[in-house]
Amino acid sequence: KGIDLAIKELWPEVGRRYCCKHLSKNWKKAFPGPFMWFLFKKACGATSQSTFKKAMTELQKVNPTALVWMSKLGDQSTWTMHKFNPDTKSDVNKTNFVESFNATLGVDRLIPVLTLLEGNMLNCTKLY
């Protein structure tokens, strides 16, 4: 909380986002279970207003207090993708580059980095 206050004071015009990975830790304590986790991810990762509304409607049906919890997060532009500022050149809702990179790799993230690089080098040499 202190960091947020300092950023608001030093750079009041800069937009901020919350890392949904870190928000999810508090979410899981308040709303355990895989279905609630699925709905949380659906709401945070929604890329359109309609997808977001569907997730929120499902949350309302399953556990209305979940909506109260989300309302306390503040403006939706800080935690759900469909409200992110398009002028910000990243649509990722993770804290840092490593988390973002791992998220884009999918199953390939289990492969050692050097193997990935060697694989790309082999593919490049085939082009010449």
Side-chain angles (χ1 to χ4, degrees):
K1 291 186 179 190
I3 291 174
D4 197 39
L5 293 174
I7 290 173
K8 285 179 185 176
E9 185 177 319
L10 294 172
W11 298 291
E13 71 284 349
V14 174
R16 287 172 290 287
R17 297 182 189 164
Y18 298 126
C19 173
C20 287
K21 180 178 179 181
H22 294 99
L23 288 176
S24 71
K25 290 180 183 179
N26 294 327
W27 173 267
K28 287 178 180 180
K29 289 176 191 171
F31 307 101
F35 188 62
M36 290 300 289
W37 167 237
F38 168 78
L39 293 176
F40 174 79
K41 285 180 22 179
K42 189 174 178 181
C44 290
T47 56
S48 70
Q49 181 70 26
S50 61
T51 305
F52 179 76
K53 282 185 176 184
K54 286 178 187 176
M56 298 305 275
T57 301
E58 288 181 68
L59 275 170
Q60 174 71 31
K61 289 177 186 174
V62 175
N63 191 336
T65 58
L67 297 182
V68 174
W69 188 93
M70 287 183 151
S71 72
K72 291 179 182 178
L73 293 175
D75 192 75
Q76 291 176 1
S77 66
T78 61
W79 59 270
T80 181
M81 291 177 79
H82 83 284
K83 289 284 191 168
F84 284 175
N85 181 348
D87 293 334
T88 303
K89 301 304 179 203
S90 173
D91 63 351
V92 176
N93 60 353
K94 305 266 188 300
T95 298
N96 62 37
F97 173 76
V98 174
E99 290 174 3
S100 301
F101 182 70
N102 284 340
T104 59
L105 280 178
V107 295
D108 288 339
R109 92 179 248 224
L110 300 174
I111 300 172
V113 173
L114 291 176
T115 306
L116 286 172
L117 290 172
E118 288 171 355
N120 285 336
M121 296 302 283
L122 291 174
N123 290 336
C124 291
T125 56
K126 291 178 184 177
L127 296 173
Y128 297 105

